[in-house]
Amino acid sequence: MSIEFGFSHHPKWEASESGEAFLAPLMAAGGTALEFTLYPPDEDYAALLALAERCACAGRHCSLHAPYKDPWNSAGFAGPRRAELQALFTPALEFAERISELGGFDAPLVIHGAHGESSLDQLSEDTREFLGWVLERTRRIRPMLENLPPKPGYLRVGETPEQVADLVNAISHPRLGACWDFGHSVLQGQGMPSEAFVRAVRHVHVHDINPEGEDHFPLVFGRVPWRDDLAALKAAGFGGLVILEINGYRASKLSGLNGLLADSFAAMTEAIA
C-alpha cells in the first residue's frame, strides 16, 4: 500500500502568485495531494470550493475536513438535533461527493467527534449515529474520525486514541477509518497509541508545535515525533494520505515559509523511502 503526502490548501496561500506557481515546489518535494477545510462562515469559502474543484479536475488527490466549530457539532444527533444537524452537514457531504466524482478518487472526509457538556457515553452515541448517517448518506467519501487535542471546559469524543478506535471498530464499515493527528497526540501528552488505533488509521495530519505550545506549523521545531509515528504506520501496512496540516495565520510568521513547507515534504518522503 502506498503513502501519499499532501498539504492543507486555502485560497489565501495563492494570494501573491498563481496556484501552480505556489504548489510547484511543494509537489516537486514529494507532495501529491491537497486538503480543504469546509467552513461556510469563512469569507473565502466560495473561492475555497472553486479551488478544490479545480484541483480535483487537475488530477490532484483531494481530501476534505468537515466543519467542526459550533453549530457543526454532532452533539444531540441521537436526540433532538438530528434534523438540524442533517441540514447543516448535508451541503458539506454533497460537496465531498462531488470532489470524489470530479477527481475519480474516493476522498477522505475528516470528522471530529461530538463535544459538549453531556456525558461521554451520550456524546459517543451521538458520534456513532452521526457517522452511521454519513455512511448511509454518501456513496464514495471515506469518513475519518480524528483524535483531538485538549480543550478545557468540554467533554469531547476523540481525546484518546482508544475512543476513536473503539467507535471505528464498533461501526466496522469498509469506508470508515481513523485520522491520526500526530500533533494532537503530543498536546495530549500521549506516547505511541495502541496497535488497535494504528491499524484503524487511514488518514494522517502532521504538523509541528512551537515553544509556546501553538500547533499546525511546518516541521521545524522538532517537538512532534513524526518520524517514529510514520514508521509505526508503515510497519502496520498503512496506505493513505499524510497531510501537512498548516495554520496559515501562525505559519506566516516564519520567514521563508514556502521553502520550509517544501523541506517538510522532502523530509517526510525521505523518512519512508
Side-chain angles (χ1 to χ4, degrees), residues 53-222:
E53 290 185 347
R54 290 199 303 274
C55 290
C57 289
R60 306 285 190 200
H61 283 175
C62 294
S63 59
L64 300 148
H65 197 309
Y68 58 90
K69 297 180 180 179
D70 288 325
W72 285 271
N73 165 26
S74 58
F77 190 87
R81 295 190 67 215
R82 186 181 188 95
E84 171 199 351
L85 289 167
Q86 287 176 336
L88 274 172
F89 278 98
T90 290
L93 299 184
E94 290 177 345
F95 184 75
E97 286 284 282
R98 174 169 171 76
I99 289 299
S100 294
E101 294 289 343
L102 288 174
F105 177 75
D106 294 344
L109 178 69
V110 178
I111 291 175
H112 284 192
H115 67 265
E117 298 178 353
S118 57
S119 70
L120 187 59
D121 285 345
Q122 181 58 60
L123 293 170
S124 295
E125 181 63 13
D126 289 331
T127 304
R128 187 190 66 78
E129 292 212 13
F130 176 72
L131 290 171
W133 171 71
V134 170
L135 290 163
E136 291 173 1
R137 180 68 177 72
T138 59
R139 291 190 312 108
R140 297 193 58 164
I141 63 170
R142 295 180 291 128
M144 302 290 162
L145 184 63
E146 186 174 19
N147 67 306
L148 300 177
K151 188 173 183 178
Y154 287 93
L155 284 175
R156 298 201 296 177
V157 174
E159 292 201 43
T160 70
E162 290 75 21
Q163 291 171 358
V164 175
D166 286 349
L167 271 171
V168 169
N169 291 331
I171 295 171
S172 188
H173 192 285
R175 285 193 283 125
L176 178 65
C179 172
W180 183 6
D181 188 301
F182 294 169
H184 291 174
S185 291
V186 172
L187 291 173
Q188 288 282 17
Q190 298 161 345
M192 184 65 65
S194 67
E195 289 186 15
F197 175 78
V198 174
R199 288 196 302 269
V201 173
R202 300 291 181 269
H203 194 73
V204 171
H205 285 164
V206 58
H207 49 90
D208 214 339
I209 300 169
N210 72 5
E212 291 71 41
E214 296 176 320
D215 56 1
H216 296 97
F217 283 93
L219 306 178
V220 296
F221 298 107

